Amino acid sequence: MATARKTLPKQSLADTASTTLLIVKEGTLIGVLVVAVFCLLSLGSYDAQDPGWSAMGDHGRVANAMGSTGAWVADLLFSLFGFSAYIIPGMLLYRSWLIFRDRYTPLQLDAITLGLKFAGALLLMLGLTCLFSLSSLPDHSALPFGGGGYIGLSLSNGLDSLLNPSGTVLLMLALTLFGLTLFAEVSWLSLMDKLGGWTLHLFGIAREALADWWERGREIARHRWKVRQASRALVEEKREAAEHAKLFNAGRMLREGDIPKMEVQAPVGDAQELQEQGSAARKVIDKVVQGTSALVQRGEAVAKQSPPAPRKRSSAALGDVRIPEFELLDTPALDRKTGYSEQELHSFSRLLEDKLADFGISAEVKSILPGPVITRFEIQPAAGVKVSKISNLVKDLARSLAVISVRVVEVIPGKSYVGIEIPNADRAMVYLSDVLLSDTYQSAESPLTLALGHDIAGEPVVADLAKMPHLLVAGTTGSGKSVGVNAMLLSLLYKATPAEVRLVLIDPKMLELNVYEGIPHLLAPVITDMKDAANGLRWCVGEMERRYRLMAALGVRNLSGFNRKVSQARDKDEPLDDPIWLPDPLSMVDVEDQVAPHLDTLPNIVVVIDEFADMMMIVGKK
C-alpha cells in the first residue's frame, strides 16, 4: 500500500504533463493553420494599388481579402521574395501536418535539429528567389521587384558577373534541393527508388495486359483457323460426293446398246488380216460391256440394301446414343506369327534342361506359357535344389541360350514350379480389338473398365478405374504412353454411354487428345489452356464436394448406391427431391413458389491430363 501511495503522485504528474503537452500542441496547430491561411489569402488577393510596404495607395479602397493588414503583409512578402512567397504558407501547412501527426509524441526540442530546419528553409527561399529572378516565365511587372523579389534580384545581379547565368542557375538549383532535403527531410535517392519501383510496376501491368491481349488474339486466330479448316473439309467432302455421283451415273448410262457399232471399211489389202482386226475389236467391246454391266448391277444391289442398324443404348440424359462398332478397330491377320512355333518350344525346353544340367541343376520343364513378348517355361527342380542357385545363373543361362536376357520367377502363386522367362525373337503386336472382344472385357460390369493389354501368358488384362481411383502413366519419350492412354479412353467409350461416364480432357500440346473433340462423352471441349485447366479442376473439386453432400443426405456410400436409389425411386414414380437445393432469391419466381428439382443419376467423371508435370509447374499453386 505504501508503494502505491508513492507511485500515485508520479503517475498523476505524468498524466497532467501529457495532457498539458497535448493542449499546447493543439493550440500551436490552430495558430500555425490560422497564420498559413491568412498568408495564403493575403497573397492570393494581392493588388498592386493597395497601400503597403513598398507603395502608397488609397487607404479608403483596399482590395485585399485580409484588409489593409493583409495588403501590407502581401506587399512585404512579394517585395522580399517575389513568387517564392507562396512557399511560406506551404511551409506552415507542412509544419501543421507534422504537429498533427506527432500530437501524442513527447515534445523534444533539439537546437541542432531546429537550426538545420531553419537553415534548410533559408536555403530553399534563397534558391527559389534567385531562380525566379533569372526566369522569364512569370510576369515580373506584376510584383514590386520582379518575380524573385528584392533578395532574388540582388543575388542574381551579384552572381551574374561571377558565374554567368548558367552557373548561377546550377548553383541555385543545388541550394534549393539541399534546402528542401534539410527542411522536409526528403531523400532524393529513396524518391528515385520509389519512382523506379512504380515505373517497373506499371510496366509489368502493361506487359501482362499486352500478353493477355496477344493470347486472346491467338485464341481468336486459332478458332478462325479451325472454322476455315472445317469449312474446307466440308467443301472437299461435297466435291468428292459430287464426283462419285457423276461416275456412278456415267456407269449406269453405259449399256451394250449405247456403244456404237464398229464398222470396218474394206480398204484395199489382205481380207484375212482385216477380218482378224475386226474380231479383236469386237472382243474388246464385249469385255467392256460385260464389265460395265456387272459393275452397275453390283452398285444397284448395294444401294438397295438397307444399312445395318447401329447398336444403341438408352440414356436418360442424352437419349439414344450410338456405341461405336467393333468393326472400326483393326483385327490381327490370321497368318501372323506370334512367338515360337510348337516344335521350337519343345526344342527350347529340351535345350533349357540340358543347359541347367550342365550347371549341375537337375530340373524338368512342366509347362510352357507362350506370350506376345516373352515365353515362360515352368520347371520343377529336383529335390534339394535351391531357387537361389538358379537365380545366380541368370547371365550364364542367357549366354548359353543365346538370348538377350533371362528372368527367373522364384515364386509362382499356387504352384511349386520356378518360372524362367525368355524374350521372344519376334514381338507380337497386341491389338486393341483382341482385348475388347475378349470375355474378360465383355463380362466386366464396371463402366470404368480399362483395357490394358495382354499378360505374359497372352491373356487379356483389364482394370477397374473406380477401384484405383488415380492412375499415373509415366515413361520415357517413345515408350508408348500416348498409345496406352488412347487405348484406355477407347475402352471407356466402348463400355459406357455419356449417361454413365463423362470426360474432362486436358491437352496443353493440342496434339494427343484433340481427336476426341465433339464426342458426347465430353463435359466441356478439350482444354488446351493451362489457366482454363486450373478452372476446370476447381470445378471438379466443387462437383466432388456437392456429390459428397448429396450422398450424405441420402445415406449412401458411393456413386453406384446413389444412382441405384435414384433409379428405384424413379421407377416407383416417386422421384427424390434435391436435399441440398436452396431457393434463388434473385430469380423472377417468388421464393415461396420455387420447387426443388428432382434428382437424376450422376455419371462418373474421368479427368485425363496430358503433360501433368508441365501443368503442375505452371499452375501448381492454383
Side-chain angles (χ1 to χ4, degrees):
M1 295 296 292
T3 305
R5 292 192 190 96
K6 290 180 180 180
T7 57
L8 185 59
K10 293 181 180 180
Q11 186 176 2
S12 301
L13 290 174
D15 294 341
T16 303
S18 61
T19 304
T20 304
L21 177 62
L22 183 61
I23 293 174
V24 170
K25 285 189 174 183
E26 290 182 357
T28 306
L29 174 62
I30 295 172
V32 173
L33 281 176
V34 169
V35 174
V37 173
F38 179 82
C39 293
L40 187 61
L41 294 177
S42 300
L43 295 173
S45 59
Y46 169 76
D47 189 356
Q49 303 298 326
D50 291 340
W53 180 74
S54 62
M56 298 294 294
D58 187 4
H59 290 273
R61 174 191 168 278
V62 178
N64 197 286
M66 294 291 102
S68 58
T69 304
W72 194 87
V73 169
D75 186 65
L76 176 62
L77 294 178
F78 278 135
S79 298
L80 292 176
F81 305 107
F83 287 106
S84 302
Y86 286 105
I87 300 298
I88 296 176
M91 292 181 177
L92 295 176
L93 291 175
Y94 173 71
R95 177 52 55 184
S96 63
W97 178 79
L98 292 179
I99 295 172
F100 176 76
R101 186 191 66 180
D102 302 332
R103 61 187 181 278
Y104 297 114
T105 304
L107 184 61
Q108 296 178 356
L109 296 176
D110 188 1
I112 297 177
T113 304
L114 292 176
L116 291 176
K117 297 282 186 182
F118 180 76
L122 181 60
L123 291 177
L124 178 63
M125 294 300 297
L126 291 177
L128 287 177
T129 53
C130 187
L131 289 176
F132 276 118
S133 180
L134 293 173
S135 175
S136 59
L137 294 178
D139 187 8
H140 293 265
S141 60
L143 300 181
F145 293 95
Y150 180 77
I151 297 176
L153 185 61
S154 301
L155 284 174
S156 60
N157 291 333
L159 295 175
D160 191 15
S161 59
L162 296 176
L163 301 175
N164 288 336
S166 300
T168 305
V169 170
L170 183 61
L171 178 62
M172 292 299 107
L173 186 61
L175 287 179
T176 303
L177 295 178
F178 183 62
L180 185 61
T181 301
L182 292 178
F183 178 76
E185 298 179 359
V186 176
S187 176
W188 299 105
L189 296 179
S190 300
L191 181 60
M192 286 190 291
D193 290 339
K194 290 182 179 180
L195 290 177
W198 293 340
T199 303
L200 292 177
H201 180 65
L202 293 176
F203 178 74
I205 294 175
R207 184 177 60 182
E208 290 180 0
L210 182 61
D212 292 340
W213 172 79
W214 178 258
E215 190 65 26
R216 287 195 300 269
R218 290 185 61 187
E219 289 293 336
I220 294 173
R222 191 181 297 113
H223 176 70
R224 290 178 179 175
W225 181 80
K226 289 182 179 179
V227 171
R228 287 197 298 268
Q229 290 295 110
S231 61
R232 290 175 183 174
L234 183 60
V235 171
E236 187 67 20
E237 290 179 0
K238 291 182 178 180
R239 186 182 63 80
E240 291 180 357
E243 290 181 357
H244 288 311
K246 289 181 181 179
L247 292 175
F248 185 75
N249 293 331
R252 294 191 61 181
M253 292 174 61
L254 186 58
R255 291 293 189 269
E256 182 177 1
D258 298 332
I259 298 177
K261 302 294 183 179
M262 178 177 283
E263 297 181 358
V264 182
Q265 297 180 359
V268 180
D270 190 2
Q272 184 178 359
E273 183 179 356
L274 294 176
Q275 186 176 2
E276 291 177 357
Q277 293 178 356
S279 61
R282 175 54 59 184
K283 289 180 181 179
V284 172
I285 293 174
D286 292 340
K287 289 182 179 180
V288 171
V289 171
Q290 292 175 2
T292 307
S293 301
L295 180 62
V296 172
Q297 292 175 3
R298 192 181 304 115
E300 291 177 350
V302 171
K304 291 179 181 179
Q305 292 179 358
S306 59
R311 294 182 300 157
K312 296 182 180 180
R313 290 184 185 176
S314 60
S315 169
L318 299 176
D320 292 336
V321 177
R322 296 182 179 181
I323 298 299
E325 297 288 346
F326 289 105
E327 288 77 6
L328 297 175
L329 302 176
D330 293 337
T331 56
L334 299 177
D335 57 346
R336 63 171 176 170
K337 182 180 179 181
T338 58
Y340 299 101
S341 64
E342 185 176 357
Q343 183 179 1
E344 290 174 342
L345 290 176
H346 287 295
S347 301
F348 221 109
S349 62
R350 290 193 298 269
L351 179 61
L352 179 60
E353 292 175 353
D354 296 338
K355 294 303 178 182
L356 289 174
D358 293 341
F359 293 110
I361 298 175
S362 178
E364 181 183 358
V365 177
K366 291 296 185 180
S367 63
I368 303 173
L369 300 176
V373 179
I374 63 172
T375 300
R376 176 189 287 180
F377 295 87
E378 295 182 350
I379 63 174
Q380 179 67 59
V385 177
K386 295 182 179 181
V387 180
S388 59
K389 188 176 181 180
I390 303 176
S391 300
N392 294 332
L393 298 174
V394 170
K395 295 183 179 179
D396 296 326
L397 284 176
R399 176 184 54 80
S400 301
L401 298 175
V403 294
I404 299 175
S405 62
V406 171
R407 179 173 176 265
V408 176
V409 183
E410 298 179 349
V411 178
I412 299 177
K415 297 181 181 180
S416 62
Y417 303 148
V418 177
I420 297 180
E421 298 176 353
I422 298 175
N424 295 338
D426 298 324
R427 298 167 62 98
M429 179 70 69
V430 179
Y431 286 82
L432 181 62
S433 57
D434 290 344
V435 185
L436 297 186
L437 293 174
S438 64
D439 295 336
T440 306
Y441 177 81
Q442 295 293 333
S443 60
E445 296 181 357
S446 174
L448 299 179
T449 302
L450 302 179
L452 300 182
H454 284 173
D455 59 6
I456 59 174
E459 297 297 329
V461 178
V462 298
D464 187 4
L465 183 61
K467 296 181 180 179
M468 297 186 186
H470 304 289
L471 175 63
L472 179 64
V473 181
T476 59
T477 303
S479 59
K481 300 187 298 295
S482 300
V483 175
V485 171
N486 282 286
M488 296 175 191
L489 286 173
L490 286 177
S491 59
L492 291 177
L493 298 181
Y494 272 100
K495 194 69 176 177
T497 62
E500 297 170 339
V501 174
R502 302 302 292 273
L503 300 175
V504 176
L505 304 182
I506 301 175
D507 183 17
K509 293 192 301 184
M510 298 180 289
L511 297 175
E512 299 294 343
L513 303 179
N514 265 350
V515 294
Y516 300 100
E517 187 70 60
I519 63 175
H521 293 73
L522 289 181
L523 267 176
V526 178
I527 300 174
T528 57
D529 191 357
M530 287 299 185
K531 297 180 182 178
D532 296 337
N535 296 332
L537 294 180
R538 278 195 292 269
W539 178 90
C540 291
V541 173
E543 176 66 14
M544 178 182 64
E545 294 176 351
R546 185 184 75 89
R547 293 188 176 193
Y548 279 148
R549 294 196 298 270
L550 279 175
M551 289 187 286
L554 293 185
V556 295
R557 299 184 59 184
N558 49 35
L559 189 61
S560 60
F562 175 86
N563 290 337
R564 189 183 310 110
K565 194 167 186 178
V566 171
S567 300
Q568 290 174 358
R570 189 169 53 195
D571 294 339
K572 295 178 182 179
D573 292 334
E574 297 176 358
L576 300 176
D577 293 336
D578 191 347
I580 63 174
W581 174 82
L582 294 175
D584 186 7
L586 301 178
S587 177
M588 300 296 292
V589 183
D590 294 337
V591 176
E592 294 80 4
D593 298 335
Q594 296 182 24
V595 181
H598 298 316
L599 289 178
D600 197 359
T601 56
L602 296 175
N604 296 278
I605 298 178
V606 179
V607 182
V608 181
I609 303 175
D610 190 25
E611 300 297 340
F612 184 62
D614 293 346
M615 191 188 73
M616 289 182 63
M617 287 189 294
I618 295 175
V619 293
K621 295 182 180 180
K622 299 182 180 179

